[in-house]
Amino acid sequence: LVCHCHYTAHCHQRGAAQPARSPSFVLSSFLLLFVIAHSLEMVRAARACLVEGKAAPATAGRRPLRAHALSRPASRPLRHASSPAAPSPSLVSLPRSLGPTRRTGARSQRARVAARAAAGDKPRVAIVGATGAVGQEFLDLLDQREFPLGSLKLLASARSAGKEMAFKGQNYVVEELTEDSFSDVDIALFSAGGGISKTFGPVAAAAGCIVVDNSSAFRMTEGIPLVIPEINGEELRSVDWKARKGAIIANPNCSTIIALMAVTPLHREAPVKRMVVSTYQAASGAGQAAMDELVLQTREALEGKEVTKDIFPIQYAFNLFSHNS
């Protein structure tokens, strides 16, 4: 195109008529078509790589283009201006820790490789409290997000052991939660109450499992990260489920997560000095048993009967009371 423009200007200065098809015009046209075709081919190849998760085919004299180098999250995670860029962590692919240094020696290197090979390419997942309301929600989310599972283990109390639960067209038998439940588990999602988490969370972590706890058991424990991925996901940089080193990750209360998702970006622009927060909790916050009792209390209250109060000492059908009552 540049050659063609120069040729046209040259003809104009000399007062000569420009040929209908100058050599420069033909050359520039072929160059333009080649560039367009090559660009479209690169775009198609890149799109195919992103969809299939494969490396792009190498061109002559160039390294293969990897799909993950082209992809990026839809939105940047929230972070403080002075903090390093926070990743967008998920249970599908937790950030990998750095490999062994030269000082660790060949033995540590072989042990690390062996641990990764034993873990496999897909995490083996266990749900503790699988028969509860949150446990069933875990299953729904794993299904909706097409979580890559190496295996799935459903754990609950002895009372629920033997029960069958469906997941992706397959029936799974619920197993009793014991201290030996985690030897073949990479990631354990806990939502069976603080007492269960305090008892079995450290056991699972000692077995090399990454524990994600949904209770209040470890929220204020020193050394255990309290994580909202979109806000402080960088806390998970050193967590690697394939390494089989074990860890416990806590998450805040549901109302805290929702509030901080809105307040944090405001706080980073203009620091918040004081907040007054009032939350109104549903019976579901106490689990499936509380929801079942709410239905029972509602029926009994409408029939004029004495209501059953096994979960809370106060009637909560048609009622509102302080959480600390």
Side-chain angles (χ1 to χ4, degrees), residues 98-109:
L98 297 177
T101 61
R102 294 181 180 179
R103 295 182 181 180
T104 58
R107 181 178 301 178
S108 178
Q109 173 79 9

Side-chain angles (χ1 to χ4, degrees), residues 26-44:
V26 175
L27 177 61
S28 62
S29 298
F30 274 112
L31 286 174
L32 179 60
L33 291 175
F34 174 78
V35 170
I36 293 175
H38 187 62
S39 300
L40 291 175
E41 182 63 27
M42 290 181 66
V43 171
R44 282 195 294 267

Side-chain angles (χ1 to χ4, degrees), residues 154-171:
L154 305 182
L155 301 171
S157 65
R159 182 180 55 190
S160 299
K163 179 181 178 180
E164 289 191 355
M165 298 183 68
F167 178 72
K168 287 193 171 184
Q170 182 177 346
N171 288 334

Side-chain angles (χ1 to χ4, degrees), residues 4-156:
H4 178 63
C5 291
H6 277 291
Y7 184 78
T8 302
H10 178 71
C11 293
H12 180 72
Q13 289 176 357
R14 294 196 169 208
Q18 181 183 358
R21 293 181 181 177
S22 65
S24 62
F25 176 79
V26 175
L27 177 61
S28 62
S29 298
F30 274 112
L31 286 174
L32 179 60
L33 291 175
F34 174 78
V35 170
I36 293 175
H38 187 62
S39 300
L40 291 175
E41 182 63 27
M42 290 181 66
V43 171
R44 282 195 294 267
R47 287 171 63 94
C49 292
L50 291 177
V51 172
E52 299 177 7
K54 299 179 179 179
T59 56
R62 295 184 180 179
R63 294 181 179 179
L65 184 63
R66 296 184 179 180
H68 68 73
L70 297 174
S71 62
R72 62 186 305 173
S75 61
R76 296 179 180 271
L78 300 174
R79 63 184 180 89
H80 194 277
S82 61
S83 65
S88 181
S90 66
L91 294 178
V92 177
S93 179
L94 290 174
R96 295 185 176 183
S97 58
L98 297 177
T101 61
R102 294 181 180 179
R103 295 182 181 180
T104 58
R107 181 178 301 178
S108 178
Q109 173 79 9
R110 288 195 298 270
R112 184 175 178 83
V113 172
R116 286 182 178 275
D121 295 331
K122 297 179 181 179
R124 299 165 293 182
V125 176
I127 297 179
V128 179
T131 56
V134 179
Q136 295 176 36
E137 190 67 21
F138 278 152
L139 289 174
D140 291 341
L141 289 174
L142 291 175
D143 187 13
Q144 293 172 16
R145 299 188 179 192
E146 298 183 353
F147 192 94
L149 294 171
S151 64
L152 177 63
K153 179 182 288 189
L154 305 182
L155 301 171

